Amino acid sequence: AETPAAPPAKPAAPAAPAKADDEKAFYGVGLALAQNVEIFALTPAELETVVKGLRDGVAHKPKYPMDEKLNAAIQELARSRKAVADKKQADASPAYLAKMAAEKGAKKSPSGAIVISQKEGAGASPGAKDKVKVNYAGTLIDGKEFDSSYKRGQPVEFPLDQVVKCWTEALQMMKVGGKAKVVCPSDIAYGPNGRPPVIPGNAVLTFEIELLEIVK
């Protein structure tokens, strides 16, 4: 007897449309990739080439092999673009620091942090080894925000002797319940190396800080 023919395969179900949460996650992948290439300061045309490389890589059909020579070229491009970005920060710093130091009510810490009170607190001032709870947002000279506890919806706690010197000194000039603008020269923040990929070398940092509590 003939062997019966195999039943026809069940048609593949069409791919389900991405859910809203999935779309958000995929968008987040794009944001993460953007942070990783931020150091290159890409022009629109350069970004299109990067996107082409991403498409070709995902399809496993690269135009150029990812070999030692290409990797060296990427590293050299990163170094050269970082040098340009770092110089830009260094060139813009003196005028910005002078402007902020001239703001009404501006005070300086021993190492040069500029503290401009926006709301006077009524509580105690922390000591250099105290643990504090704060809300904050940080920006570069051009106004670009690089970090914010407000957006995370969660204040942060840390000992004052375990943060950059600018914060260690500036927070001691505030009182619980107060809010201030704190301007950090590069040499008492992250210095010439910065904190890639979000903070360039030589960057002056400006923070809006609310001192919520001295944590016992």
Side-chain angles (χ1 to χ4, degrees):
E2 292 184 3
T3 303
K10 183 179 179 180
K19 295 181 291 187
D21 284 351
D22 291 340
E23 290 181 4
K24 186 175 180 180
F26 290 138
Y27 184 80
V29 171
L31 293 180
L33 291 172
Q35 285 190 339
N36 288 331
V37 300
E38 191 163 3
I39 192 172
F40 296 102
L42 299 169
T43 66
E46 290 167 345
L47 178 58
E48 287 303 314
T49 304
V50 170
V51 172
K52 184 178 187 329
L54 177 61
R55 289 198 185 102
D56 290 351
V58 169
H60 302 290
K61 296 179 179 179
K63 182 176 181 180
Y64 308 109
M66 180 54 79
D67 54 15
E68 187 174 328
K69 184 176 180 180
L70 183 54
N71 190 56
I74 294 169
Q75 298 303 318
E76 178 56 35
L77 180 60
R79 281 192 291 270
S80 64
R81 291 292 171 97
K82 183 179 186 302
V84 171
D86 292 354
K87 185 178 185 303
K88 182 179 178 181
Q89 293 292 325
D91 291 346
S93 295
Y96 181 77
L97 289 170
K99 175 185 174 184
M100 299 310 293
E103 290 275 326
K104 183 178 179 181
K107 298 178 181 179
K108 280 191 176 183
S109 76
S111 298
I114 301 169
V115 181
I116 306 166
S117 179
Q118 297 176 319
K119 176 188 173 185
E120 290 294 336
S125 294
K129 294 185 179 296
D130 281 338
K131 187 176 185 179
V132 297
K133 178 188 284 187
V134 303
N135 260 323
Y136 72 94
T139 55
L140 301 176
I141 287 178
D142 61 7
K144 179 183 177 182
E145 187 175 87
F146 59 83
D147 193 11
S148 172
S149 67
Y150 295 104
K151 289 188 175 177
R152 291 192 296 273
Q154 182 67 47
V156 295
E157 298 181 9
F158 51 81
L160 279 183
D161 61 355
Q162 294 183 20
V163 288
V164 293
K165 191 173 185 178
C166 177
W167 274 52
T168 303
E169 294 186 354
L171 268 292
Q172 293 180 76
M173 297 169 64
M174 298 176 64
K175 295 180 179 180
V176 172
K179 183 177 183 179
K181 179 178 290 185
V182 175
V183 182
C184 299
S186 173
D187 61 341
I188 52 173
Y190 292 104
N193 293 325
R195 197 174 184 182
V198 293
I199 299 176
N202 305 317
V204 173
L205 308 179
T206 301
F207 295 93
E208 302 280 346
I209 303 176
E210 288 183 272
L211 178 54
L212 304 176
E213 182 183 343
I214 298 174
V215 181
K216 301 298 184 182

